[in-house]
Amino acid sequence: VQDAASGQDSGSRGDEGSQRRWKEEICQILEEIQAPLSPLLLRLCHWLLPKFLSRLFLSVQLHLGQLEMVLRAARTPEVPLVFLCSHQSQVDGPLLSFVLLSQGIGLPRVTVGSWTSPRLRSLLQRLGGIFLPSGLAHTCSDQDEGLAGAVLDTYVQEVLRSRQPLILFLEEPPASLQLADPARHWLLRVLRALRDGAVPDVLVVPVGIAYDVAP
């Protein structure tokens, strides 16, 4: 992050004003990515979501054998879980968060697309949603990422080091058999964390979600 910031401020000589300016920019980028979790909202949603799901669906079915494998994997020391998921509807993120939290795996960080309104974005961030910073939304190559890319790299490394489960949606609903651009950005961060030795390994869990009728 310091290298990226100094590269942007190559004209200045590291004076106090330029340092304050890029620190403020880094904080702004972090605020776009995530927000502090709200325990009150998390408890409220944990209580409301089963009632909502019971009205929306006749049942929610899990493969218990596969779930047991995930629970065993979650007990692997020093190795984070990364869930790579198909994406059928906007219910997927809350549904997966509820399943993982209710099984004792922990509250995941869930990547969310840019379709949300500002108010919904703020709410989802309080519930564990993470977003690409605006500086990366329209970049065409990895070389154009600048400070926003460096901050996102460091953020993902810290998530993985702390062994928070990370949910990456590979598609944008309605589902298509094509890797979405936001997913490419997130996957690149995970690969860089492995390449740079931020974590010794990751356990990749493929997740398939299917609905009789997608909500």
Side-chain angles (χ1 to χ4, degrees):
V1 173
Q2 289 178 341
D3 290 344
S6 60
Q8 286 190 355
D9 264 352
S10 55
S12 64
R13 298 181 178 178
D15 58 273
E16 186 176 345
S18 66
Q19 289 183 3
R20 187 184 306 111
R21 185 168 60 253
W22 64 253
K23 284 180 180 179
E24 290 174 354
E25 186 175 347
I26 289 169
C27 290
Q28 183 178 354
I29 293 170
L30 276 173
E31 289 174 359
E32 291 182 352
I33 297 172
Q34 62 121 47
L37 298 174
S38 170
L40 177 61
L41 277 176
L42 285 168
R43 286 195 294 268
L44 180 62
C45 286
H46 198 269
W47 177 74
L48 281 176
L49 193 59
K51 302 179 185 300
F52 170 71
L53 292 175
S54 65
R55 290 182 175 274
L56 195 61
F57 306 118
L58 292 176
S59 65
V60 176
Q61 300 178 2
L62 300 174
H63 192 295
L64 295 182
Q66 294 176 357
L67 182 59
E68 179 59 33
M69 293 173 63
V70 174
L71 291 172
R72 287 204 304 269
R75 293 191 287 268
T76 305
E78 305 301 325
V79 179
L81 291 175
V82 177
F83 295 84
L84 301 184
C85 311
S86 59
H87 205 3
Q88 303 290 325
S89 83
Q90 307 302 348
V91 180
D92 297 347
L95 178 61
L96 279 175
S97 294
F98 171 73
V99 169
L100 296 182
L101 193 58
S102 64
Q103 295 299 318
I105 296 176
L107 180 70
R109 289 293 184 171
V110 184
T111 60
V112 185
S114 57
W115 52 270
T116 54
S117 66
R119 288 185 179 181
L120 184 56
R121 180 183 181 123
S122 177
L123 173 64
L124 292 175
Q125 284 181 322
R126 298 287 181 177
L127 296 173
I130 54 177
F131 294 77
L132 288 175
S134 56
L136 290 182
H138 305 292
T139 54
C140 298
S141 68
D142 301 338
Q143 286 72 32
D144 299 333
E145 292 178 348
L147 185 58
V151 172
L152 187 62
D153 279 337
T154 307
Y155 174 78
V156 171
Q157 289 180 10
E158 291 303 316
V159 169
L160 296 176
R161 280 197 194 103
S162 61
R163 297 190 69 240
Q164 296 179 68
L166 181 62
I167 293 178
L168 306 182
F169 289 110
L170 302 180
E171 308 156 329
E172 288 291 338
S176 61
L177 298 178
Q178 183 177 0
L179 184 66
D181 285 339
R184 184 184 65 82
H185 282 291
W186 290 111
L187 285 170
L188 181 62
R189 266 71 218 175
V190 175
L191 291 173
R192 284 178 178 171
L194 284 169
R195 181 198 64 190
D196 297 340
V199 287
D201 200 359
V202 297
L203 290 172
V204 175
V205 182
V207 179
I209 302 175
Y211 302 93
D212 290 335
V213 177

